[in-house]
């Protein structure tokens, strides 16, 4: 197991290029099973969620190889429709493999993806939508059994704009018989990226990025070489790091539109921000004002995946802030670790009440989940003195070379094996 040793208090300066978006690459891997032709996904980040998804495809019989930053996927020999419980437990988002497997094989078996550290994360919206497309579903001993003669297009309404359910419906609908119209779709940029990827393979989808997506089923899909959209959550993490530590940073690869609400909130804190195409420039004195209220919402609202990081920023800003987490019921598990560094935060249910303090002090803290772990790193970069951040396996799921990128911006951070 590795840990970070961070000597806090340094301002950040320089530029950093965002990686390809984890939450786009994962559904693109699932989509690659829809064709027997070769798929190349360029600039794929070497993160453990990607390696896990590669393992899932290999267990189905696909050939997956990594070569200088790209991933080559050939699922012509894929023959299995079963995803093991170990891999589903490892990677909850494997649930959107259901749409691909049903489209390819007419059957899919997946272990029920249990809850995780940020919430129960049910999949009722996925399963109800698949039933609308003609899928018969039964659940036995912790496994979900799905089968259908042929996926048939349907009108589907999502009660909640679930990202994964929207992706599952797109994957199941692209080769279904007839037209699928999805209302109440998620509008995240990663949904638009999946539409572009599938249309590049010969699908006929329109409306991604709005709350209504139309899919005309096509008989088959071709191969594709594709570079995914960049990671707005990783980019946002670096912007918040600079807001917190003070300094000036330029983040490349992500547009202001894809980070809209975050930039609005960082300007509210007192950061100076200007943007040009896919470059975002931020400067900060390091001592900012608290955001009075932040509510996480589906895109284009404030992203839940940046909730922990902006909470860390507010712990040393002036005044107080109410952070409301509307998407996941237990996404404040990192708060006790921030309190060990001197943060003044009280959590009641989905609300975190932050009172800004003058400074944080170094401490030994432990990551419990991916984005909570990132928040602990950011707090340690600001804290006075040395901190140790343990259990980096959570961070490695979604950030490639976080320590290298932060060091290049002037942070005093090193990764050691324990
Ligand atoms: C995706 O998860 C992302 N993961 C998450 O990022 C992100 O936090 C989330 O979308 C919200 O933006 C990937 O894309 C791989 P949802 P997903 O379905 O699809 C409830 C990260 O840190 N819900 O939009 O699982 C659910 O409980 C990760 O990168 C149901 O009730 O999110 C939650 O409250 C964490 N029934 C809400 O919807 C369902 O069938 C949002 O879930 C499905 C979801």
């Amino acid at each position: 197991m590795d840990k970070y040793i961070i000597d806090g208090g340094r301002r950040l300066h320089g530029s950093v290029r965002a990686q390809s978006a984890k939450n786009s690459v994962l559904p693109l891997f699932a989509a690659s099973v829809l064709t027997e032709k070769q798929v190349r996904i360029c600039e794929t980040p070497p993160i453990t969620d990607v390696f896990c998804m590669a393992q899932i495809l290999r267990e189905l019989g696909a050939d997956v190889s990594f070569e200088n930053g790209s991933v080559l996927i050939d699922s012509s020999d894929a023959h299995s429709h079963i995803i093991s419980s170990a891999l589903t437990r490892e990677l909850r988002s494997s649930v959107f493999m259901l749409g691909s497997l049903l489209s390819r094989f007419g059957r899919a078996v997946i272990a029920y993806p249990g809850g995780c550290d940020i919430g129960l994360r049910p999949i009722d919206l996925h399963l109800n939508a698949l039933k609308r497309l003609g899928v018969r579903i039964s659940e036995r001993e912790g496994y979900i059994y799905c089968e259908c003669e042929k996926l048939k297009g349907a009108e589907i309404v999502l009660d909640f704009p679930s990202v994964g359910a929207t992706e599952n419906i797109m994957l199941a609908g692209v080769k279904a018989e007839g037209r699928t119209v999805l209302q109440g779709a998620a509008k995240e940029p990663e949904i638009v990226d999946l539409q572009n990827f599938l249309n590049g393979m010969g699908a006929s989808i329109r409306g991604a990025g709005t709350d209504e997506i139309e899919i005309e089923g096509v008989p088959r899909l071709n191969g594709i070489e594709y570079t995914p959209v960049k990671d707005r959550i990783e980019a946002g993490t670096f912007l918040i790091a600079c807001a917190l530590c003070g300094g000036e940073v330029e983040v490349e690869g992500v547009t202001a539109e894809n980070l809209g609400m975050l930039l609005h909130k960082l300007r509210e804190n007192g950061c100076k921000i200007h943007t040009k195409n896919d470059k975002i420039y931020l400067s900060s004195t390091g001592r900012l004002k608290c955001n009075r209220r932040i509510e996480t919402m589906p895109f284009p609202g404030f992203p839940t995946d940046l909730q922990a990081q902006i909470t860390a920023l507010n712990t040393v800003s002036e005044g107080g802030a109410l952070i409301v987490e509307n998407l996941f019921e237990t996404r404040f598990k990192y708060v006790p670790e921030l309190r060990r560094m001197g943060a003044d935060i009280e959590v009641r249910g989905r609300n975190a009440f932050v009172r800004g303090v003058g400074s944080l002090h170094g401490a030994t803290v432990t990551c419990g989940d991916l984005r909570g772990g990132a928040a602990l790193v950011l707090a340690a970069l600001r804290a006075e003195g040395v901190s140790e951040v343990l259990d980096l396996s959570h961070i490695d799921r979604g950030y490639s070379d976080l320590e290298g990128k932060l060091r290049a911006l002037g942070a005093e951070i090193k990764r050691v094996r324990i």
Side-chain angles (χ1 to χ4, degrees):
M1 190 146 86
D2 291 1
K3 68 180 177 183
Y4 284 147
I5 299 177
I6 297 173
D7 190 355
R10 281 161 180 72
R11 294 167 66 82
L12 302 183
H13 48 84
S15 72
V16 60
R17 182 159 177 74
Q19 66 187 26
S20 289
K22 165 179 87 75
N23 293 347
S24 180
V25 168
L26 297 177
L28 299 190
F29 268 54
S32 65
V33 170
L34 291 167
T35 178
E36 302 199 10
K37 300 284 192 320
Q38 198 167 78
V39 168
R40 178 187 289 270
I41 301 174
C42 306
E43 297 179 32
T44 298
I47 52 180
T48 49
D49 273 9
V50 163
F51 299 140
C52 185
M53 200 65 182
Q55 196 47 37
I56 287 174
L57 295 187
R58 289 190 186 109
E59 289 214 347
L60 299 173
D63 181 55
V64 184
S65 55
F66 289 77
E67 52 179 56
N68 49 48
S70 292
V71 178
L72 223 49
I73 300 169
D74 176 347
S75 62
S76 53
D77 291 339
H79 50 270
S80 167
H81 62 283
I82 298 169
I83 297 182
S84 73
S85 61
L87 285 168
T88 312
R89 231 194 336 270
E90 184 81 19
L91 186 62
R92 273 194 40 79
S93 53
S94 53
V95 67
F96 46 53
M97 283 300 300
L98 287 174
S100 296
L101 292 173
L102 284 161
S103 180
R104 177 78 182 261
F105 300 116
R107 307 186 284 167
V109 177
I110 181 172
Y112 205 95
C116 61
D117 261 341
I118 60 175
L120 293 172
R121 304 184 77 179
I123 59 169
D124 54 312
L125 298 174
H126 295 250
L127 301 183
N128 295 339
L130 292 174
K131 286 175 186 163
R132 295 280 299 143
L133 294 167
V135 180
R136 290 184 302 283
I137 296 174
S138 60
E139 298 177 35
R140 287 192 304 281
E141 290 124 41
Y143 274 81
I144 301 170
Y145 297 81
C146 305
E147 58 179 0
C148 62
E149 274 70 52
K150 177 85 181 122
L151 288 162
K152 291 192 176 51
E155 306 258 324
I156 300 172
V157 179
L158 282 179
D159 295 340
F160 179 85
S162 154
V163 171
T166 300
E167 290 162 346
N168 233 338
I169 294 162
M170 292 166 75
L171 294 168
V174 281
K175 294 200 295 182
E177 220 159 65
R179 164 184 293 194
T180 297
V181 178
L182 167 59
Q183 286 170 339
K187 300 188 273 195
E188 274 70 4
E190 293 76 28
I191 305 285
V192 178
D193 211 34
L194 180 59
Q195 171 178 280
N196 295 340
F197 182 81
L198 290 167
N199 284 346
M201 294 167 80
S204 172
I205 313 176
R206 58 203 179 99
T210 74
D211 55 13
E212 179 164 320
I213 296 178
E214 266 186 49
I215 307 166
E216 292 294 343
V218 296
R220 71 187 56 74
L221 294 178
N222 307 313
I224 188 170
E225 175 164 328
Y226 190 80
T227 301
V229 70
K230 292 295 178 280
D231 199 317
R232 61 195 167 98
I233 304 303
E234 188 211 24
T237 303
F238 287 118
L239 291 170
I240 296 171
C242 181
L244 188 51
C245 297
E248 53 288 321
V249 159
E250 183 178 75
V251 178
E252 292 175 45
V254 178
T255 62
E257 185 198 357
N258 282 0
L259 269 174
M261 190 53 83
L262 173 68
L263 301 186
H264 165 66
K265 286 296 171 185
L266 290 176
R267 285 186 173 113
E268 199 177 76
N269 295 120
C271 295
K272 297 275 174 289
I273 296 173
H274 58 259
T275 67
K276 189 165 183 295
N277 302 329
D278 70 346
K279 285 190 173 58
I280 298 174
Y281 174 85
L282 179 144
S283 69
S284 157
T285 59
R287 179 71 174 146
L288 302 168
K289 291 191 299 301
C290 278
N291 301 103
R292 295 183 56 70
R293 185 188 184 94
I294 289 186
E295 292 229 27
T296 62
M297 301 296 274
F299 192 87
F302 192 90
T304 176
D305 294 348
L306 288 172
Q307 175 258 97
Q309 299 93 313
I310 198 117
T311 299
L313 171 59
N314 275 276
T315 62
V316 287
S317 299
E318 209 170 314
L322 167 61
I323 315 285
V324 185
E325 171 52 63
N326 289 308
L327 276 85
F328 292 106
E329 54 272 38
T330 52
R331 205 166 193 177
F332 286 121
K333 286 195 171 174
Y334 61 91
V335 166
E337 297 303 294
L338 282 182
R339 276 207 289 261
R340 293 159 71 92
M341 302 172 95
D344 180 351
I345 311 178
E346 192 190 334
V347 174
R348 270 186 249 139
R350 288 178 180 257
N351 299 326
F353 299 89
V354 182
R355 271 176 292 280
V357 293
S359 63
L360 297 176
H361 53 76
T364 298
V365 291
T366 304
C367 303
D369 66 85
L370 167 58
R371 307 302 177 180
L376 299 181
V377 172
L378 266 50
L381 291 172
R382 168 62 186 259
E384 288 167 4
V386 177
S387 299
E388 297 199 346
V389 180
L390 310 180
D391 198 352
L392 302 185
S393 61
H394 295 282
I395 291 183
D396 293 341
R397 286 190 42 220
Y399 292 94
S400 65
D401 192 18
L402 180 62
E403 61 276 8
K405 292 179 179 176
L406 287 170
R407 219 179 2 256
L409 293 174
E412 190 68 45
I413 176 173
K414 56 177 187 276
R415 183 175 185 135
V416 296
R417 180 124 311 177
I418 41 181

